[in-house]
């Protein structure tokens, strides 16, 4: 609508400024937030369809780079993608807008559900379903685990790290955050002294 | 007020130390949120299922849930903003420089060591969840919950069959299938033999 107004006003073909992009960016990310199940990875094809194919704001190559960064930086993958894409498409305001829009549908849906969930779970047959689901969760976690394992260098060092993390987390009360920080520090030391080469680090 | 600040800070921490998506967050949530008594382990398992079967980023769903349970809508806002903030700040810092962060060998080697640690941590969570689902307190003869074992076995079979057919066993399908099996094994079958 804004675009039509500007079209008739200025007589230009189709003005593509940051301002005209805001509404489309918001609409795209609301849609992405409302219709993707299963988090960041499921969003990737949708984001690239909206941004690359529909609007042509980003190229395929840029999109791939954004996803690579989103996966490997700290934080929620979906939010990482939204912030990055929003920034590339329409600066800081774009980044803020895309981030709010990708989170908003989930926020509304979950706050509504959480009002009813306890009453719902107390229904007899729903409780049976949840007994099954608690087993299903184990499968879900296992699938997530396999995904992580795929991205690990297959060497003795990784196996030692897995074992160390497992033992420390299972049998001591060390804070998980310290374990993760320890891993980062170790990574830095390894690089300083070139103990081993990391092949898959960037993937 | 203190609770809101605590929620914000806790989820900010969780957001900051999550690398590689929602599931990497679960060991942290288990430690921080469950330990603080905001939610219990059972609730957390149910949340994961609900988060997987509703749209939106998994991590955001969990944060909203925990916040809502702890102190209503204000809590939900505090937790959600907290979990989103680290992503937002870090990505803007990276995007502004628009340098390829993987050219940095330190970033690469840190990723190299952090992923195995996450695998180790998730494995521990799997064992803790399994203990809740499988080990029964009230049976004197046999400590394993047979219905849970059967559910796990059948889910494994479905997964295998889907894989053979070249199809994915998506998280939503896992939740639906396990809910169905739960209704059959915990609800219908005991009634038939009662």
């Amino acid at each position: 609508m804004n675009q039509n107004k500007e079209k008739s006003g200025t007589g230009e073909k189709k003005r593509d400024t940051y301002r005209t992009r805001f509404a489309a960016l918001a609409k795209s990310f609301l849609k992405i937030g409302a219709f993707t199940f299963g988090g960041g990875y499921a969003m990737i094809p949708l984001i690239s369809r909206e941004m690359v194919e529909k609007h042509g704001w980003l190229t395929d190559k840029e999109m791939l780079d954004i996803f690579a960064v989103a996966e490997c930086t700290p934080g929620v993958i979906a939010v990482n993608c939204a912030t990055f894409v929003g920034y590339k498409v329409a600066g800081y305001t774009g980044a803020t807008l895309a981030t709010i829009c990708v989170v908003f549908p989930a926020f509304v849906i979950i706050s509504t559900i959480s009002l009813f969930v306890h009453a719902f779970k107390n229904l007899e047959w729903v409780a049976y379903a949840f007994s099954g689901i608690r087993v299903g969760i184990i499968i879900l976690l296992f699938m997530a685990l396999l995904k992580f394992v795929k991205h690990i260098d297959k060497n003795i060092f990784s196996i030692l790290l897995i074992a160390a993390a497992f033992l420390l987390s299972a049998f001591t009360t060390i804070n998980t955050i310290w374990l993760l920080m320890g891993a980062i520090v170790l990574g830095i030391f390894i690089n300083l002294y070139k103990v081993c080469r990391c092949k898959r680090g960037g993937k | 007020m203190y609770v809101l600040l605590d929620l914000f800070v806790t989820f900010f921490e969780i957001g900051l130390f999550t690398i590689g998506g929602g599931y990497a967050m679960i060991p942290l949530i288990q430690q921080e949120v469950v330990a603080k008594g905001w939610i219990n382990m059972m609730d957390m398992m149910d949340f994961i299922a609900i988060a997987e079967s509703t749209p939106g980023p998994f991590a955001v769903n969990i944060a909203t849930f925990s916040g809502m349970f702890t102190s209503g809508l204000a809590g939900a806002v505090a937790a959600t903003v907290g979990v989103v903030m680290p992503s937002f700040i870090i990505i803007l810092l990276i995007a502004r420089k628009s340098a390829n962060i993987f050219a940095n060998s330190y970033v690469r080697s840190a990723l190299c060591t952090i992923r195995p640690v996450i695998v180790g941590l998730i494995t521990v969570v799997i064992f803790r969840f399994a203990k809740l689902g499988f080990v029964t307190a009230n049976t004197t003869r046999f400590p394993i919950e047979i219905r849970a074992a059967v559910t796990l076995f059948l889910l494994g079979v479905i997964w295998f069959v889907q894989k053979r057919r070249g199809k994915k066993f998506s998280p939503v399908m896992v939740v639906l299938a396990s809910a169905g099996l739960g209704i059959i094994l915990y609800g219908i079958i005991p009634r038939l033999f009662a």
Side-chain angles (χ1 to χ4, degrees), chain A residues 75 92 124 128 175-176 183 198, chain B residues 18 31 56 68 96 112-113 191:
Chain A
Y92 287 114
E124 197 187 352
Y128 294 142
N175 196 305
T176 310
C198 298
Chain B
T18 299
Q31 183 194 290
M68 198 75 184
R96 224 167 45 125
C112 228
T113 47
R191 255 151 241 249

Side-chain angles (χ1 to χ4, degrees), chain A residues 15-54:
Chain A
R15 278 184 59 186
D16 186 27
T17 59
Y18 274 8
R19 193 165 293 176
T20 59
R21 287 180 175 195
F22 290 152
L25 198 62
K27 204 179 126 200
S28 292
F29 276 98
L30 278 175
K31 203 160 83 184
I32 291 163
F35 294 108
T36 42
F37 289 82
Y41 289 104
M43 276 179 192
I44 289 176
L46 251 133
I47 295 178
S48 93
R49 195 186 308 148
E50 289 277 322
M51 296 300 131
V52 180
E53 286 162 39
K54 200 168 151 198

Side-chain angles (χ1 to χ4, degrees), chain A residues 34 36 73-76 80 92 106 114 118 121 124 128 133-134 153 175-177 183 187 191-192 198 201 203, chain B residues 13 15-16 18 31 43 45-46 49 55-56 61 68-69 87 94 96 105-106 109 111-113 115 128-129 178 191:
Chain A
T36 42
T73 41
V76 190
N80 289 349
Y92 287 114
S114 66
H118 267 321
K121 263 163 62 182
E124 197 187 352
Y128 294 142
I133 284 172
R134 285 184 196 129
D153 278 340
N175 196 305
T176 310
I177 288 176
N191 194 50
L192 270 178
C198 298
K203 281 193 192 157
Chain B
E13 253 176 47
L16 189 60
T18 299
Q31 183 194 290
D43 279 336
M45 293 174 95
D46 299 343
N61 291 351
M68 198 75 184
F69 263 72
S87 301
I94 293 173
R96 224 167 45 125
S105 55
Y106 288 105
S109 56
L111 279 172
C112 228
T113 47
R115 286 204 180 110
R128 294 208 171 126
F129 279 176
S178 56
R191 255 151 241 249

Side-chain angles (χ1 to χ4, degrees), chain A residues 122-142:
Chain A
N122 285 337
L123 298 174
E124 197 187 352
W125 288 91
V126 176
Y128 294 142
F130 270 101
S131 302
I133 284 172
R134 285 184 196 129
V135 178
I137 295 299
I138 294 166
I139 296 267
L140 286 178
L141 276 169
F142 190 66

Side-chain angles (χ1 to χ4, degrees), chain B residues 49-70:
Chain B
I50 293 168
E52 279 289 10
S53 35
T54 50
F58 184 71
V60 173
N61 291 351
I62 295 266
T64 309
F65 246 133
S66 314
M68 198 75 184
F69 263 72
T70 315

Side-chain angles (χ1 to χ4, degrees), chain A residues 3-4 11 13 21-22 28 33 44 47 59 63 89 93 107 109 126 133 139 150-151 174 179-180 191 199:
Chain A
Q3 281 177 0
N4 285 338
K13 213 178 130 197
R21 287 180 175 195
F22 290 152
S28 292
I44 289 176
I47 295 178
T59 63
M63 215 60 241
V89 168
T93 320
F107 182 81
I109 293 168
V126 176
I133 284 172
I139 296 267
K150 240 182 9 198
H151 287 289
I174 295 177
L179 292 178
L180 291 167
N191 194 50
K199 280 165 278 176

Side-chain angles (χ1 to χ4, degrees), chain B residues 9 21 32-33 36-37 42 51-52 66 72 82 93 96 100 111 116 121 123 134 157 162 171 175:
Chain B
V9 172
E32 298 281 313
V33 182
K36 283 186 175 154
M42 282 289 192
E52 279 289 10
S66 314
L93 288 176
R96 224 167 45 125
N100 183 1
L111 279 172
L121 295 176
T123 313
F134 285 87
V157 170
Q162 286 290 97
V175 172

